Amino acid sequence: MTHTQDWWVYRGTGTPHDGMRRLPEAPPWRAFRHGGAQPDNLPEPPGAPDHDAVQRHLGRAGQGAAYQAGEREIHLVNLALHLRRPLLLTGKPGTGKSTLAYAVAHELKLGPVLRWAVTSRTTLKDGLYEYDAVGRLYDAGLRNAGNRAYHDGPAPEPVEPPDIGKYMWLGPLGTALLPWRRPRVLLIDEIDKSDMDFPNDLLNVFEEGEFVIPELARLGQRPQRVMTADRRPVEISGGEVACAEFPFVVLTSNEEREFPMAFLRRCIRLEIGAADKDRLAGIVAAHLGPAGNGTARTRADLITEFLTRQREMGPLANDQLLNALLMAERGLWDGETGRNLLRDDLLRPLDRG
């Protein structure tokens, strides 16, 4: 049984609370109150995560969080929160690494998770902002053409290009680094898929808590209205985006590569292992509801089957168990044909073709 400790902000209960109010000030070397920004003057993060995200990552309301955090995981999440450091989660696919970000955002009421899925082609700029310069020039050309078509007399003066902010939007990292009253949750998913330079490229932004958008900086201090990654308009002055509180950053890795030492020393590192029987039972109950008289034995049998196959045959993901249980409770566990389907197709180890 996990016992709550006084220094915990995140408790792993899955029940939303105002624990962020008890989070102490950042260490001096991780304080980011740029420009004297005061919390009371800053915007709150957007509302609670959308219904679909809650359904996917947290189960139905009132049934508890699908992510059953162990004591070590709760400890390290709180270390990352107190120290304002990224949390690097490593482990096999399907062990719930990305779900932890949603669980923290839900419990601490930090708004929707900003998710950045990494590929081999991902660059730092992809996460900071995007600018459609071609679209802006194209629209300016159309406006000039229309002006010439309907103008009598001398050639008209060229029309200025449209406002730049209409063609610019912040990426997930850029949105997380806006000056929010409470930190946003940023999930950088599968960072091990990135190219070799990507982790080091993140370091400067993580250390400074800010970045500059050159296209806006060239326009001076006049505020420019741009869109965030979660489709909300914000104003940026002088092209500078600077956080007031370092976001809660969760980076996930499927252990497919090693990372530079300089990157690792700036992260809190947590390895997510396979869930045991009790934790799996909690995950299942959160997603499928409490077991009834007709399903308790089926769940116990399939959880045992899942753990046995995982131990003897190879890696399995937690959602494979959920899929198998869903179909088992619809009748497939009642006959040999159905049981074989569940074993051979839904509970097939991930490393087998």
Side-chain angles (χ1 to χ4, degrees):
M1 182 177 179
T2 301
H3 300 283
T4 302
Q5 301 198 23
D6 291 341
W7 66 283
W8 285 358
V9 177
Y10 169 68
R11 303 168 190 159
T13 63
T15 301
H17 58 79
D18 294 319
M20 285 299 291
R21 294 179 180 176
R22 298 188 296 105
L23 182 66
E25 290 288 320
W29 56 90
R30 297 297 293 162
F32 296 105
R33 293 274 165 80
H34 293 298
Q38 297 300 315
D40 291 344
N41 300 326
L42 299 175
E44 287 280 358
D50 64 83
H51 178 73
D52 289 340
V54 171
Q55 292 291 327
R56 284 197 307 273
H57 297 280
L58 296 171
R60 294 183 293 275
Q63 294 182 336
Y67 191 88
Q68 304 291 303
E71 189 168 67
R72 176 168 172 75
E73 290 154 79
I74 298 172
H75 276 316
L76 293 182
V77 166
N78 281 288
L79 284 176
L81 287 167
H82 278 262
L83 298 174
R84 275 62 168 187
R85 288 293 183 185
L87 181 66
L88 175 61
L89 302 180
T90 59
K92 300 298 183 185
T95 52
K97 298 186 297 297
S98 60
T99 306
L100 179 56
Y102 291 87
V104 173
H106 173 71
E107 183 175 317
L108 298 182
K109 300 193 288 189
L110 298 179
V113 172
L114 297 162
R115 180 174 179 268
W116 183 13
V118 173
T119 72
S120 60
R121 298 179 300 277
T122 297
T123 66
L124 177 64
K125 184 175 176 295
D126 296 331
L128 295 176
Y129 74 98
E130 293 187 49
Y131 172 44
D132 184 9
V134 174
R136 184 171 182 240
L137 290 174
Y138 177 76
D139 287 350
L142 289 179
R143 291 170 64 182
N144 278 311
N147 191 29
R148 288 192 298 270
Y150 293 99
H151 187 85
D152 294 326
E157 292 292 325
V159 176
E160 288 293 318
D163 184 14
I164 191 172
K166 295 178 181 179
Y167 303 87
M168 183 172 291
W169 54 95
L170 299 178
L173 176 56
T175 300
L177 290 173
L178 287 168
W180 301 101
R181 183 177 301 184
R182 289 174 292 154
R184 297 294 302 270
V185 176
L186 171 65
L187 170 62
I188 305 180
D189 216 4
E190 299 189 336
I191 188 174
D192 49 331
K193 290 184 177 179
S194 66
D195 71 23
M196 297 301 294
D197 294 328
F198 181 73
N200 283 330
D201 292 341
L202 286 172
L203 286 183
N204 185 59
V205 176
F206 283 172
E207 289 301 294
E208 300 300 325
E210 63 182 2
F211 70 98
V212 172
I213 302 175
E215 294 88 347
L216 298 185
R218 287 195 287 268
L219 301 178
Q221 291 298 314
R222 183 168 64 90
Q224 298 290 331
R225 196 174 181 87
V226 303
M227 297 298 289
T228 65
D230 39 15
R231 302 181 184 88
R232 290 170 171 82
V234 294
E235 288 190 343
I236 296 176
S237 298
E240 182 185 67
V241 177
C243 69
E245 284 283 353
F246 189 71
F248 179 66
V249 180
V250 175
L251 307 113
T252 72
S253 167
N254 292 330
E255 301 180 316
E256 295 179 1
R257 60 175 281 194
E258 295 183 353
F259 296 104
M261 297 292 277
F263 176 77
L264 292 176
R265 75 178 180 84
R266 290 172 170 85
C267 296
I268 304 297
R269 298 158 65 183
L270 171 61
E271 183 174 356
I272 303 291
D276 59 19
K277 183 180 294 186
D278 291 339
R279 185 169 169 185
L280 286 174
I283 292 171
V284 170
H287 278 288
L288 301 180
N293 293 333
T295 60
R297 179 59 184 272
T298 299
R299 289 190 183 185
D301 288 348
L302 254 178
I303 288 174
T304 299
E305 178 93 15
F306 177 85
L307 290 170
T308 300
R309 293 174 71 86
Q310 189 176 61
R311 182 173 60 253
E312 297 178 354
M313 301 179 65
L316 292 168
N318 295 342
D319 56 359
Q320 289 177 272
L321 173 63
L322 292 171
N323 291 334
L325 273 171
L326 179 67
M327 297 311 300
E329 293 180 5
R330 293 180 179 178
L332 265 67
W333 199 245
D334 299 338
E336 191 61 29
T337 299
R339 291 187 182 213
N340 288 335
L341 276 172
L342 298 184
R343 292 188 182 106
D344 298 340
D345 293 282
L346 295 186
L347 296 182
R348 177 187 295 182
L350 297 174
D351 57 2
R352 298 193 179 187

